[in-house]
Amino acid sequence: TIDGQKIGKSLGNAIDPGEIAKIHGLDALRYFLAREIPFGSDGDFSYERFSQLYESDLSKGIGNFVSRVLAMAEKVDDGALEKVEELSESERIAKRVAEVWQEYEEAFEQTRPDAALEAVWHLISFGDRFVEEKKPWAILKENKEEYTRIMGALLELVRQVSVLLYPFMPETVLKIWRQLGIGDQHKDVYLVAMKGWRAIPIKHVIREGVLFTPIVA
């Protein structure tokens, strides 16, 4: 249905997914369908709801989180991330990541991609809370080594989120990997090989624009 009404040619309310993808990107459309319409069940499409999810989950959600972490990571000296030591809270973060991976895999076993995505957004919310709790910008003024360790943990959290999102938004994830300096050579590697904490080292970051351009009303 669309806005609660059955879609049909005779009703003149059919939608062209190709046009939506052309304007907002295939990843955004795929995200909406996977998140909003339970697999194997009927679902409702709404341009208003699509715009709401695009803004809240994509532009202000994953897009803002990645941009924020990368902006802070740019303040780390070149090469420092290669030598970063474990942060004392890394075990706490790694534990939360492992919990989300379990929720995510169980959701797929139940053919619930919507629940898998919900688990990913739990992890993004966790990352946002961690940033607000640690306030890296304040630590940078007093202890640059501690700041570098915090950024190492946050960048790994971003990498973990990207791996979880890869089945849903591969184009977006490849952009994130390039920004993390790990390139796209891992795109054909099984996700299970990438989910270990710091399975792939992050050496530097490169910010390149925004992941999702806000919708202009």
Side-chain angles (χ1 to χ4, degrees), residues 20 24 28-29 32 45-54:
I20 297 174
H24 302 294
L29 176 60
F32 176 88
F45 180 87
S46 160
Y47 285 104
E48 180 181 0
R49 180 59 180 157
F50 176 87
S51 297
Q52 289 174 349
L53 270 190
Y54 184 98

Side-chain angles (χ1 to χ4, degrees), residues 30-167:
R30 187 187 292 111
Y31 173 79
F32 176 88
L33 295 175
R35 184 71 188 266
E36 284 292 287
I37 302 177
F39 187 78
S41 301
D42 290 338
D44 185 66
F45 180 87
S46 160
Y47 285 104
E48 180 181 0
R49 180 59 180 157
F50 176 87
S51 297
Q52 289 174 349
L53 270 190
Y54 184 98
E55 291 291 334
S56 64
D57 291 17
L58 303 184
S59 180
K60 296 179 181 178
I62 180 63
N64 186 63
F65 177 63
V66 171
S67 177
R68 190 181 191 189
V69 172
L70 290 175
M72 292 189 291
E74 284 185 323
K75 293 179 173 60
V76 176
D77 293 335
D78 288 343
L81 288 171
E82 294 186 66
K83 300 177 290 185
V84 67
E85 298 175 1
E86 284 290 338
L87 179 71
S88 58
E89 286 93 340
S90 287
E91 184 176 343
R92 166 191 162 199
I93 301 173
K95 179 182 178 183
R96 185 67 188 113
V97 167
E99 291 171 348
V100 168
W101 267 105
Q102 183 174 349
E103 295 171 17
Y104 178 89
E105 291 171 340
E106 287 176 353
F108 269 114
E109 288 173 1
Q110 299 166 12
T111 323
R112 289 284 312 280
D114 57 319
L117 280 170
E118 184 177 357
V120 180
W121 255 257
H122 288 166
L123 189 57
I124 294 172
S125 296
F126 171 86
D128 283 328
R129 291 194 301 273
F130 181 82
V131 170
E132 292 303 319
E133 173 190 322
K134 298 301 295 184
K135 295 180 172 55
W137 52 88
I139 292 174
L140 177 60
K141 300 176 183 178
E142 306 292 335
N143 190 332
K144 198 162 188 177
E145 288 186 5
E146 179 72 1
Y147 180 83
T148 300
R149 287 194 291 271
I150 290 173
M151 294 321 304
L154 282 172
L155 287 170
E156 173 59 14
L157 186 55
V158 168
R159 190 189 71 81
Q160 290 284 341
V161 167
S162 72
V163 176
L164 289 159
L165 286 177
Y166 187 68

